[in-house]
Amino acid sequence: MSNSMWGGRFADAPSAIMEEINASIDFDQKLFRQDIYGSLAHAAMLAAAGIIGQDDAARIREGLEQIRGEIEAGTFTFSRDLEDIHMNVESRLAAIIGAAAGRLHTARSRNDQVATDLKLWVRDAIDALAGEITALQAALAEKALAHAATVMPGFTHLQTAQPVTFGHHLLAYVEMLERDRGRFLDARRRLNESPLGAAALAGTSFPIDRDATAKAMGFDRPTANSLDSVSDRDFALEALAAASLCALHLSRFAEEIVIWSSAQFGFIRLSDRFSTGSSIMPQKRNPDAAELVRAKTGRITGALNALMMVMKGLPLAYQKDMQEDKEQTFMALETLSLCLTAMRGMVGDMEPDAAAMKKAAGAGYATATDLADWLVRTLGMPFREAHGVTGRIVAKAAAAGVDLEALPLAEMQAVEPRITEDVFAVLGVERSVESRTSYGGTAPANVRREAEAWLARLKERG
Ligand code: ARG
């Protein structure tokens, strides 16, 4: 028996393996709400334009609403020989309302239908992700405010560089996430044009009103070129690109959490809620959630690459290759949502060990730059010379096995006789961070101001 939706030209049913490779219903059933929403808008427009009767449109609407209820209740039977969500819904509609169901597909094709459905799904996903990013930013800004003056070592090359504050470090991620959110919202602006009514590829001879369907679905306007409308997946690619960069940021943070929570660093303690034990080593508290966030970046950036490879050689207009857009897009955006939520939980629960951080901040001659700056400021020395003098003093301290603060004044004066007792004031880590008041610097006063500004700004977003 040939397919009841497109089988007019066919004598035989598809082979089982054809059905296996062709059917998308196992994954595109996720689009049922968008599919029905689009069909409701289309049917209402067809009736308003006089293309179908009002009574048929009413029957179609009731039928579609019943179907939505059935799918939500889990009583709907999806069938693989109906290939995809579009035909499963339409076939069920025919079973419920009879012949009028056949009028719904007037002036429409699955090509513009699927582009519309996926756009609606991606748009919802972007809106949800933007909210989840904001929530993570708020968790970070709150922690940052609480730890505006908590000193930790700042690193370059993962070598102790200069003391910074924990709050400042956390706010760096708030900035990154803000760019991520901006990329998502920017992608959303370009996405928000309705492909519905492009039909198969060439438009339609029916007097449809594309502005009406666009408006009904919250799009800014209809897409301008029917070929582009059905062959464009930029909106999914852009969302995946934004997701990849966001995941990459989360992965970097996750890596820091893994490092910080190790016994060797001991900078933070993760809550029991976000740690796991070892089945053999009783002492272990593993940062599994952070490790998984780090790892899941692979599948998210993989999805971007996979869809780019699907699209790269496709001529206009719709090609069945494009059916492969959905699983990658769903998986990647859902994974990012999970990662953002897990990160938010970890950040909220994270307890820094201020004493351990401060101790580490003082080790490794982290205030050497402060000493050099003192030589510049107090003795009028050129910075390059001060750098050399400081280097020799650090070498002395290293040879004596002590911190800069513990090196006797006489030892420093042996390198530079004009150094006075006053120098010790700048060698402490707290003084060091307090002095970094330049715009964007790590001084606790800056961090407090920035964290408060962020919290106010994020609250406005609701
Ligand atoms: N299941 C298809 C997809 O996901 C829907 C569009 C099919 N169009 C077609 N002409 N076969 O892309």
Side-chain angles (χ1 to χ4, degrees):
M1 197 186 63
S2 64
N3 185 293
S4 60
M5 292 283 151
W6 44 249
R9 196 177 179 286
F10 290 76
D12 284 333
S15 80
I17 202 73
M18 178 59 200
E19 192 171 290
E20 174 82 24
I21 195 170
N22 195 38
S24 54
I25 189 61
D26 293 346
F27 49 87
D28 69 14
Q29 55 183 265
K30 202 184 272 297
L31 293 173
F32 80 91
R33 280 199 186 82
Q34 289 77 11
D35 197 69
I36 290 170
Y37 183 69
S39 288
L40 288 170
H42 185 66
M45 181 278 293
L46 290 176
I51 299 167
I52 66 171
Q54 292 287 354
D55 46 345
D56 282 341
R59 251 171 268 149
I60 287 171
R61 191 185 62 238
E62 281 160 29
L64 287 172
E65 274 160 6
Q66 179 180 328
I67 293 169
R68 183 165 52 201
E70 290 174 1
I71 299 178
E72 276 168 356
T75 58
F76 189 96
T77 314
F78 291 105
S79 133
R80 272 188 159 191
D81 53 70
L82 291 166
E83 284 185 30
D84 55 27
I85 185 63
H86 325 295
M87 296 207 291
N88 270 268
V89 169
E90 196 184 321
S91 162
R92 176 74 185 131
L93 187 64
I96 299 171
I97 69 168
R103 299 193 185 281
L104 172 61
H105 213 54
T106 314
R108 178 177 88 168
S109 151
R110 276 189 291 157
N111 298 349
D112 58 340
Q113 196 180 355
V114 73
T116 304
D117 290 4
L118 189 61
K119 270 196 172 185
L120 290 169
W121 193 92
V122 171
R123 190 175 72 182
D124 284 350
I126 286 176
D127 290 342
L129 287 167
E132 284 154 10
I133 288 174
T134 299
L136 174 56
Q137 287 177 300
L140 285 162
E142 266 164 38
K143 264 286 129 117
L145 185 59
H147 294 282
T150 303
V151 179
M152 69 179 282
F155 300 93
T156 61
H157 313 267
L158 199 55
Q159 307 283 325
T160 303
Q162 294 174 349
V164 295
T165 66
F166 187 52
H168 195 55
H169 195 118
L170 296 179
L171 288 182
Y173 284 99
V174 175
E175 297 289 335
M176 290 185 230
L177 288 163
E178 185 66 6
R179 293 194 292 274
D180 291 326
R181 182 170 174 278
R183 272 181 284 272
F184 274 119
L185 296 182
D186 186 42
R188 189 197 197 280
R189 270 189 290 279
R190 266 186 300 284
L191 165 153
N192 210 28
E193 295 183 342
S194 170
L196 193 63
L201 76 165
T204 174
S205 56
F206 290 97
I208 57 171
D209 183 352
R210 292 192 59 207
D211 289 298
T213 46
K215 190 159 175 247
M217 293 183 284
F219 287 110
D220 297 330
R221 64 191 79 84
T223 49
N225 181 298
S226 61
L227 291 168
D228 179 45
S229 310
V230 291
S231 63
D232 167 45
R233 291 295 180 273
D234 290 0
F235 61 93
L237 288 166
E238 284 195 53
L240 291 177
S244 295
L245 212 36
C246 183
L248 186 150
H249 291 150
L250 296 184
S251 179
R252 295 181 68 175
F253 189 29
E255 167 68 3
E256 296 195 313
I257 290 174
V258 170
I259 293 175
W260 291 345
S261 62
S262 69
Q264 286 72 14
F265 271 71
F267 285 5
I268 57 166
R269 188 182 151 86
L270 289 174
S271 67
D272 289 351
R273 302 197 309 148
F274 288 99
S275 312
T276 58
S278 157
S279 55
I280 175 170
M281 298 165 284
Q283 85 283 9
K284 290 289 280 286
R285 285 174 64 83
N286 296 328
D288 293 39
E291 294 170 85
L292 288 165
V293 166
R294 187 173 61 186
K296 284 186 189 296
T297 306
R299 57 165 76 210
I300 295 172
T301 59
L304 170 62
N305 202 42
L307 187 53
M308 285 202 290
M309 291 306 104
V310 165
M311 298 303 294
K312 73 169 177 52
L314 298 187
L316 301 185
Y318 178 83
Q319 319 294 331
K320 195 62 174 257
D321 310 52
M322 291 160 72
Q323 178 164 288
E324 291 282 308
D325 57 1
K326 287 169 225 38
E327 282 168 294
Q328 300 291 342
T329 304
F330 295 156
M331 177 279 290
L333 300 187
E334 284 171 353
T335 300
L336 182 63
S337 164
L338 176 65
C339 291
L340 285 164
T341 311
M343 266 298 182
R344 178 177 156 204
M346 273 186 274
V347 169
D349 285 11
M350 182 185 288
E351 284 172 37
D353 183 336
M357 281 185 177
K358 188 178 166 189
K359 186 153 173 263
Y365 311 107
T367 56
T369 313
D370 297 270
L371 171 53
D373 288 350
W374 185 88
L375 295 171
V376 170
R377 222 178 307 113
T378 317
L379 305 181
M381 216 179 250
F383 181 77
R384 277 288 153 235
E385 190 186 332
H387 186 285
V389 168
T390 305
R392 290 196 290 283
I393 293 174
V394 168
K396 270 183 174 292
V402 297
D403 287 343
L404 274 181
E405 266 183 295
L407 190 69
L409 181 60
E411 293 283 317
M412 295 196 203
Q413 286 169 334
V415 178
E416 169 49 64
R418 290 176 294 163
I419 295 179
T420 65
E421 195 71 44
D422 291 351
V423 77
F424 289 101
V426 303
L427 297 181
V429 292
E430 257 131 17
R431 271 297 295 272
S432 171
V433 295
E434 274 161 24
S435 72
R436 300 279 193 275
T437 52
S438 58
Y439 180 70
T442 196
N446 284 13
V447 174
R448 221 166 275 125
R449 194 178 55 234
E450 284 296 309
E452 271 161 3
W454 268 116
L455 286 170
R457 193 168 158 195
L458 296 169
K459 203 167 154 197
E460 257 169 44
R461 281 178 198 166

